[in-house]
């Protein structure tokens, strides 16, 4: 796929793409496409099965703001705000978001996104493929800098008009009251923040969830822990249901532990209106395991490969697609380094008075850092 | 030989909010290959019969009633159309138009003038162009010579031989390869000769006697009295 370049001839030397396909992104593309999309690019290059898609880059975002010609108005609305004055913050935020979401996009940018969406649809062999649209913040990885509205995710968006509308909504999430307040407090200038928007083929998930390549409760790196529910992964990520819980041995891929819970609801698509809806899980399915054992094993195997690629414990989002044949139906949707246990200093595993053999055995049990 | 004089004028255009199944109906009813998509006088895209059929194929393959319903009631031209399509100007030559079509491997070219769509060149127009060039309805006889270096004087020499053999010469077309872009190097070209004659073998023999290698010889059936020798 071609990277579509900014068309200004005088910028020939420093052309920054307004749009970038995920496979062109690597972990070094964070300033361009944000953390989320960069990690998807990195996953694709690691060989994981990731739904295809593209990102409107931060350059594309800048072009959007320039073409909309609303920077001055936004600056005016933000002027003199105080991060404690919640009423005014909310009011300004609503005005700005309304402005961003109502302005028509420039024809050039619309064509860029439209053409990429068309190519994506052809690639997925669908007439206007359903996509997930999510903002991808460039500062996501800064400690405590989770301000840029990167929680914004719109599922099962179909058709050009809806895609453009939700891309705009993702852009406007840069100006939520919370984000503005945070920037005021931390002294970030408003005109220097940037956001990227990812448009990714929606996995038609039968079941989905998250997995960790270490035990989140104990930090045990010898296991992979999988949480799963029917439908899209959002119900697991948001904690709205108690998911099925599996613990898999990382070496032998045996399922060591399984907890089947009563899953009352899930998010799935209503095929009639073509929208993502929260729905009740049919009674007869509520308390059965939502994955078959083969899928659990394959998930664990994929998690192992991803952990190997990154060289550190990972937190992975995945989905099992209804439309794909068994054996090739697992999609990896997101992978980020696990932060809680990885940042913790390894505790002493042997007491000072123990023998040399105790020390060796205990360090074998706990795993030893090589680097 | 300008695009203006060969294009289909005032083509049917549609807006990008049209449903795809309506667009397909217009394409089918008018036996078209593609429709320029125009919003507020501005060309925004091109939707072709092939695009519509491909999308319909994707939908039918799912065998899903909801998907079919979505396709026929919700999918718009703007979801499927090719954006920023390749265009040509009405003032361009047909040679340029052919070159553009071959370069991009496309068969539909909206024709622009002052930023507006004034015509379209599609396979129909290309057939018309080729038919006119070869006077397909005239039923000419013909001989093709093996590749030659077409240098000054050669065409005249061939013309003299053909006419001396009793034929009414109509046209001589040297045909080179698309890679031979520099005419100064005299690249090898086959020479296609078209004429009216009831005795093509005599023309071919005369050319061979003059040292040309004949690789094709076609005797056309002609309406007049002598219709006894028909060769193909």
């Amino acid at each position: 796929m071609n990277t579509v370049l900014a068309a200004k001839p005088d910028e020939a030397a420093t052309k920054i793409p307004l749009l970038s396909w995920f496979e062109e992104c690597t972990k070094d593309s964070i300033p361009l496409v944000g953390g989320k999309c960069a990690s998807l690019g990195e996953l694709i290059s690691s060989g994981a099965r990731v739904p295809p898609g593209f990102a409107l880059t931060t350059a594309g975002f800048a072009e959007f703001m320039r073409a909309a010609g609303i920077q001055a108005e936004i600056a005016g609305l933000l002027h003199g705000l105080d991060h404690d004055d919640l009423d005014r913050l909310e009011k300004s935020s609503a005005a700005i978001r309304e402005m961003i979401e109502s302005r028509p996009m420039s024809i050039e940018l619309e064509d860029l996104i439209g053409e990429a969406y068309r190519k994506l649809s052809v690639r997925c062999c669908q007439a206007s493929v359903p996509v997930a649209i999510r903002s991808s913040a460039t500062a996501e990885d800064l400690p405590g800098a989770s301000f840029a509205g990167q929680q914004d995710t719109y599922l099962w968006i179909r058709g050009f008009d809806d895609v453009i509308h939700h891309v705009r909504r993702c852009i406007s999430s840069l100006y939520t009251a919370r984000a503005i307040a945070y920037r005021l407090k931390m002294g970030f200038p408003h005109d220097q923040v940037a956001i990227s928007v990812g448009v990714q083929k929606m996995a038609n998930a039968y079941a989905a969830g998250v997995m960790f390549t270490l035990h989140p409760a104990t930090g045990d790196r010898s296991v992979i822990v999988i949480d799963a529910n029917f439908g899209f992964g959002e119900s697991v990520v948001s904690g709205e249901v108690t998911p099925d819980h599996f613990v898999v041995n990382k070496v032998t891929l045996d399922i060591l532990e399984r907890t089947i819970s009563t899953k009352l609801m899930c998010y799935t698509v209503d095929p009639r209106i073509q929208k993502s809806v929260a729905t009740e899980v049919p009674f007869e399915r509520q308390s059965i395991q939502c994955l078959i054992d083969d899928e659990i094993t394959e998930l664990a195997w994929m998690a192992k490969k991803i952990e190997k690629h990154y060289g550190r414990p990972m937190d992975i989002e995945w989905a099992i697609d209804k439309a794909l044949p068994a054996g090739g139906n697992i999609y990896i949707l997101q992978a980020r380094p696990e932060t809680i246990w990885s940042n913790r200093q390894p505790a002493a595993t042997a007491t000072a008075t123990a023998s040399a053999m105790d020390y060796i055995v205990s360090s074998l049990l706990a795993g030893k850092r090589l680097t | 030989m300008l695009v203006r004089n060969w294009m289909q004028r005032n083509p049917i255009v549609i807006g990008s909010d049209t449903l795809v199944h309506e667009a397909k109906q217009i394409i089918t009813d008018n036996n078209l290959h593609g429709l320029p998509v125009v919003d507020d006088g501005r060309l925004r895209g091109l939707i072709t019969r092939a695009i519509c059929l491909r999308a319909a194929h994707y939908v039918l393959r799912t065998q899903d009633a909801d998907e079919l319903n979505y396709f026929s009631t919700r999918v718009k031209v703007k979801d499927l159309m090719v954006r920023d399509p390749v265009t040509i100007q009405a003032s361009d030559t047909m040679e340029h138009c052919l070159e553009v079509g071959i370069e991009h491997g496309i068969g539909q070219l909206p024709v622009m003038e002052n930023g507006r769509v004034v015509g379209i060149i599609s396979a129909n127009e290309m057939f018309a162009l080729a038919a006119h060039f070869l006077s397909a309805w005239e039923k000419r006889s013909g001989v093709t010579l093996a590749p030659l270096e077409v240098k000054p004087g050669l065409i005249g020499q061939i013309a003299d031989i053909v006419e001396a053999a009793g034929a009414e010469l109509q046209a001589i077309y040297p045909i080179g390869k698309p890679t031979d872009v520099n005419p100064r190097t005299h690249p090898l070209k086959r020479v296609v000769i078209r004429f009216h004659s009831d005795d093509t073998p005599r023309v071919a023999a005369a050319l061979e006697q003059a040292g040309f290698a004949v690789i094709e010889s076609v005797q056309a059936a002609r309406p007049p009295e002598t219709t006894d020798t028909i060769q193909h």
Side-chain angles (χ1 to χ4, degrees):
Chain A
M1 293 287 159
N2 297 325
T3 307
V4 189
L5 298 168
K8 286 181 192 160
D10 55 319
E11 289 177 358
T14 56
K15 266 181 187 170
I16 302 168
L18 302 181
L19 203 90
S20 178
W21 291 86
F22 288 159
E23 50 268 43
E24 296 160 347
C25 304
T26 65
K27 59 179 181 295
D28 303 324
S29 326
I30 293 175
L32 189 64
V33 297
K36 219 169 251 173
C37 299
S39 94
L40 286 170
E42 183 66 20
L43 268 175
I44 289 174
S45 61
S46 84
R49 200 180 297 125
V50 177
F54 59 89
L56 179 73
T57 64
T58 48
F61 159 77
E63 174 63 24
F64 170 84
M65 294 305 270
R66 195 193 57 75
I70 49 179
Q71 283 140 314
E73 280 179 72
I74 290 180
L77 279 164
L78 290 173
H79 186 72
L81 278 180
D82 183 40
H83 65 84
D84 288 330
D85 188 354
L86 286 179
D87 283 351
R88 274 194 66 204
L89 272 176
E90 284 291 349
K91 230 185 235 168
S92 302
S93 163
I96 292 171
R97 295 194 70 172
E98 162 66 24
M99 207 154 46
I100 293 176
E101 286 166 30
S102 61
R103 291 293 160 99
M105 213 176 250
S106 74
I107 282 180
E108 288 71 25
L109 207 56
E110 215 176 64
D111 278 355
L112 262 180
I113 298 172
E115 190 63 11
Y117 179 63
R118 182 186 73 83
K119 282 183 180 152
L120 185 67
S121 300
V122 171
R123 235 172 118 180
C124 302
C125 291
Q126 271 181 287
S128 28
V129 63
V131 288
I133 299 186
R134 29 176 62 118
S135 46
S136 173
T138 50
E140 210 170 316
D141 289 352
L142 298 181
S146 55
F147 60 84
Q150 72 271 35
Q151 299 303 321
D152 271 37
T153 291
Y154 302 101
L155 299 180
W156 205 273
I157 305 303
R158 257 191 120 161
F160 171 78
D161 285 333
D162 279 3
V163 168
I164 292 289
H165 177 62
H166 287 92
V167 165
R168 272 206 294 261
R169 281 180 74 177
C170 279
I171 290 175
S172 82
S173 73
L174 202 51
Y175 292 98
T176 58
R178 206 177 117 240
I180 297 171
Y182 183 85
R183 286 196 295 267
L184 285 171
K185 203 167 169 186
M186 304 306 286
F188 284 123
H190 288 294
D191 51 359
Q192 303 223 332
V193 291
I195 199 167
S196 163
V197 182
V199 177
Q200 185 179 29
K201 179 193 186 269
M202 185 80 207
N204 191 0
Y206 175 76
V210 295
M211 55 186 171
F212 298 89
T213 63
L214 52 60
H215 202 301
T218 63
D220 179 1
R221 286 195 60 177
S222 72
V223 294
I224 290 163
V225 172
I226 301 176
D227 284 335
N229 185 21
F230 293 112
F232 304 142
E234 265 46 42
S235 60
V236 180
V237 176
S238 64
E240 283 168 83
V241 290
T242 317
D244 285 353
H245 178 84
F246 308 97
V247 179
V248 184
N249 184 312
K250 204 185 272 180
V251 180
T252 62
L253 300 181
D254 286 330
I255 302 165
L256 303 175
E257 237 182 274
R258 62 179 92 211
T259 316
I260 313 299
S261 50
T262 310
K263 302 168 288 293
L264 295 175
M265 62 79 70
C266 70
Y267 285 99
T268 188
V269 63
D270 180 336
R272 203 175 48 77
I273 57 169
Q274 291 290 330
K275 291 217 158 42
S276 167
V277 288
T279 176
E280 203 175 303
V281 176
F283 176 77
E284 65 274 20
R285 287 196 195 171
Q286 284 179 359
S287 43
I288 62 165
Q289 186 175 321
C290 66
L291 297 172
I292 58 172
D293 286 5
D294 280 358
E295 286 164 349
I296 297 172
T297 312
E298 178 155 3
L299 276 171
W301 178 76
M302 284 174 124
K304 218 164 116 172
K305 283 217 316 190
I306 291 167
E307 187 193 47
K308 194 171 172 192
H309 179 81
Y310 284 87
R312 55 201 294 191
M314 298 296 286
D315 164 1
I316 300 161
E317 281 175 40
W318 53 269
I320 297 189
D321 198 296
K322 278 182 219 183
L324 296 175
N329 55 355
I330 295 176
Y331 272 134
I332 301 298
L333 306 178
Q334 185 59 262
R336 54 182 94 77
E338 196 279 342
T339 45
I340 300 160
W341 287 94
S342 309
N343 294 340
R344 195 173 284 188
Q345 284 301 317
T349 48
T351 50
T353 54
S355 71
M357 189 49 96
D358 281 348
Y359 179 77
I360 290 166
V361 169
S362 60
S363 61
L364 278 174
L365 285 171
K368 192 149 179 156
R369 284 171 74 95
L370 292 176
T371 51
Chain B
M1 221 180 42
L2 299 176
V3 169
R4 187 192 316 285
N5 301 321
W6 290 93
M7 71 191 185
Q8 184 202 322
R9 283 168 189 283
N10 301 320
I12 302 173
V13 299
I14 51 170
S16 68
D17 276 320
T18 318
L19 289 177
V20 164
H21 91 100
E22 288 170 353
K24 178 65 179 65
Q25 199 62 45
I26 296 170
I27 289 174
T28 308
D29 289 349
N30 298 283
N31 196 23
L32 301 170
H33 294 275
L35 283 171
V37 180
V38 175
D39 284 344
D40 305 326
R42 182 175 169 146
L43 177 71
R44 293 304 305 274
L46 183 73
I47 184 136
T48 66
R49 181 189 289 249
I51 291 173
C52 294
L53 290 179
R54 180 167 62 185
H57 166 74
Y58 292 155
V59 172
L60 287 174
R61 205 180 48 175
T62 61
Q63 302 196 1
D64 180 341
D66 291 313
E67 187 74 12
L68 196 59
N69 186 44
Y70 178 80
F71 181 66
S72 48
T73 59
R74 303 269 297 277
V75 178
K76 292 176 183 173
V77 165
K78 64 170 73 168
D79 295 327
L80 300 185
M81 70 185 185
V82 174
R83 284 161 189 274
D84 201 7
V86 180
T87 59
I88 40 167
Q89 296 297 317
S91 54
D92 283 336
T93 60
M94 281 309 277
E95 285 94 325
H96 176 70
C97 169
L98 286 164
E99 213 183 349
V100 168
I102 287 177
E103 184 193 336
H104 293 93
I106 51 177
Q108 273 83 232
L109 287 163
V111 182
M112 309 296 288
E113 192 164 40
N114 303 323
R116 293 189 162 259
V117 180
V118 293
I120 190 164
I121 294 277
S122 71
N124 295 343
E125 282 68 51
M126 286 303 162
F127 263 101
L129 178 76
H132 275 89
F133 261 66
L134 298 168
S135 285
W137 43 83
E138 234 180 55
K139 311 248 182 306
R140 294 167 175 172
S141 300
V143 165
T144 304
L145 304 180
L148 293 165
E149 289 184 2
V150 182
K151 288 186 170 159
L154 182 84
I155 303 254
Q157 190 195 346
I158 293 171
D160 289 345
I161 296 166
V162 173
E163 298 212 306
E168 290 171 36
L169 183 64
Q170 294 290 314
I172 297 179
Y173 314 92
I175 299 180
K177 284 187 234 136
T179 47
D180 299 327
V181 286
N182 184 2
R184 287 177 201 283
T185 58
H186 297 298
L188 290 175
K189 291 175 178 173
R190 278 177 294 153
V191 178
V192 176
I193 308 163
R194 287 290 181 263
F195 48 80
H196 290 308
S197 167
D198 295 327
D199 194 358
T200 303
R202 188 178 153 209
V203 178
L207 284 164
E208 279 191 323
Q209 194 139 33
F212 294 105
V214 174
I215 54 174
E216 271 176 23
S217 167
V218 178
Q219 172 70 59
R222 300 187 65 204
E225 312 84 50
T226 49
T227 52
D228 49 329
T229 50
I230 299 171
Q231 290 177 4
H232 283 292

